[in-house]
Amino acid sequence: MEWEGNLRKMTTTLEQGMAQYELKLYDILEYSESVDMNALVGKEIRISFDGDIHCRYTGERIKKTYGEGLSYKAFRDSPLATESIIRPELSRIHEGIALRDEAWERANHLTPHITYLSYTSGIKVGVTRQANVPSRWVDQGATKALVIAETPYRQAAGLIEVALKSHLNDKTNWRHMLTGMTTGDSDLEAKRDAVKQYIDGELRSFWSDNSEELLIEYPVLRYPVKLTSIKLDKFPVIEKKLNGIKGQYLIFSDDTVMNVRSHSAYRVKIEA
């Protein structure tokens, strides 16, 4: 079997609690074909990079990417790198104020959002569009997740996250996530109840007390013991047994891992 195209992050779904991964390949900007990545776990695969990278916003050939598969100009100007993506509390589109692109921000940020707790390398707080559940949690390698607030627009969910950042982590230790090393309590419902006191005013009206934890499993034969991250820039040909997938990482049998998302826009050939 053989596939070829420009990479994007893997799309994800859940089937009976198990993460399902689909790798959609593009001919520069046009979708071309998909790869069922779960079906490749346990098999020898070969990923080869020919040196071509095409900005996923403009399609132009570039030497390096900024953000997630963007040219420098697209990273600076396009809505795909709007500041409120990383910092939701900065969004003001609900006030009619756009940071970069009004139509894009209305479509993506003036929509229902959630603030959540997830358990990756430990308990963390985060924000995502309601439409991104559960893919957002799978993308970060969470083994469980819990909605703690539901808001009508992005900024409100971001403000709740900001209020909790002094009491909760908002980052994932990706090395611990991939090796299965975890720290601290994993009881998300108890943590939700404990941090509710830090939310007041109008934001309290968005709080959700009755959501249930979602449990997530991953197609991993064996987790790495002491992992090494590899990139196609230094290793243009990767030929190894695929031991599993977690988050946006491919886990190989020699304990190396590759972040597919960080290679967005790279043109590759995949063989299995």
Side-chain angles (χ1 to χ4, degrees):
M1 295 180 289
E2 182 178 302
W3 306 267
E4 184 173 358
N6 294 84
L7 292 171
R8 300 292 189 269
K9 80 178 185 74
M10 293 178 284
T11 58
T12 57
T13 55
L14 279 182
E15 290 186 12
Q16 298 181 327
M18 175 63 71
Q20 305 294 319
Y21 287 91
E22 181 182 13
L23 179 61
K24 292 184 177 180
L25 297 172
Y26 287 71
D27 184 9
I28 305 181
L29 294 180
E30 297 296 323
Y31 166 73
S32 58
E33 57 183 331
S34 294
V35 184
D36 178 357
M37 295 302 294
N38 287 58
L40 299 185
V41 173
K43 297 182 178 180
E44 293 283 337
I45 67 171
R46 187 177 193 269
I47 304 172
S48 53
F49 170 51
D50 64 5
D52 282 344
I53 307 173
H54 299 94
C55 172
R56 69 183 180 97
Y57 187 67
T58 66
E60 66 182 303
R61 193 173 186 276
I62 54 179
K63 292 182 178 180
K64 64 176 292 186
T65 60
Y66 296 82
E68 190 179 323
L70 300 175
S71 67
Y72 176 73
K73 185 178 185 300
F75 179 71
R76 184 189 64 196
D77 300 332
S78 83
L80 300 183
T82 301
E83 293 91 330
S84 50
I85 292 176
I86 301 299
R87 296 183 61 192
E89 71 274 12
L90 297 182
S91 175
R92 298 185 64 187
I93 194 61
H94 61 288
E95 302 174 50
I97 300 172
L99 301 184
R100 290 197 182 181
D101 185 302
E102 181 175 357
W104 188 93
E105 290 171 50
R106 284 187 176 277
N108 290 276
H109 291 177
L110 193 57
T111 59
H113 277 65
I114 63 163
T115 312
Y116 63 84
L117 300 181
S118 63
Y119 192 70
T120 54
S121 55
I123 294 179
K124 71 179 291 291
V125 61
V127 166
T128 194
R129 285 187 298 150
Q130 196 170 64
N132 287 341
V133 172
S135 62
R136 173 58 181 152
W137 300 329
V138 177
D139 284 350
Q140 64 185 213
T143 54
K144 57 173 65 176
L146 178 72
V147 175
I148 60 172
E150 300 179 52
T151 69
Y153 52 86
R154 189 169 181 82
Q155 187 199 59
L159 290 173
I160 293 172
E161 180 188 39
V162 168
L164 297 180
K165 279 183 179 180
S166 298
H167 313 281
L168 293 168
N169 198 353
D170 67 331
K171 299 289 190 299
T172 294
N173 184 317
W174 64 272
R175 288 184 174 275
H176 289 181
M177 180 270 290
L178 288 174
T179 55
M181 295 175 59
T182 55
T183 57
D185 187 14
S186 66
D187 189 336
L188 301 185
E189 293 182 356
K191 185 62 70 174
R192 171 195 61 195
D193 297 341
V195 299
K196 182 178 179 179
Q197 62 183 304
Y198 304 116
I199 307 301
D200 53 24
E202 181 185 1
L203 295 178
R204 179 65 77 95
S205 67
F206 301 128
W207 195 262
S208 177
D209 286 309
N210 301 314
S211 299
E212 296 183 356
E213 286 184 354
L214 177 69
L215 302 180
I216 304 171
E217 296 182 78
Y218 294 88
V220 178
L221 302 179
R222 181 182 66 82
Y223 284 99
V225 177
K226 187 177 181 181
L227 61 85
T228 300
S229 179
I230 56 177
K231 292 206 68 173
L232 291 171
D233 305 84
K234 291 187 176 180
F235 301 93
V237 176
I238 297 172
E239 193 164 5
K240 305 170 187 281
K241 178 183 175 183
L242 182 63
N243 249 19
I245 313 171
K246 189 176 184 183
Q248 282 289 320
Y249 286 87
L250 304 182
I251 303 171
F252 298 107
S253 56
D254 62 353
D255 286 4
T256 58
V257 301
M258 173 186 153
N259 186 333
V260 174
R261 189 171 196 160
S262 71
H263 289 87
S264 183
Y266 285 53
R267 190 167 186 86
V268 302
K269 179 184 289 184
I270 302 172
E271 300 167 84

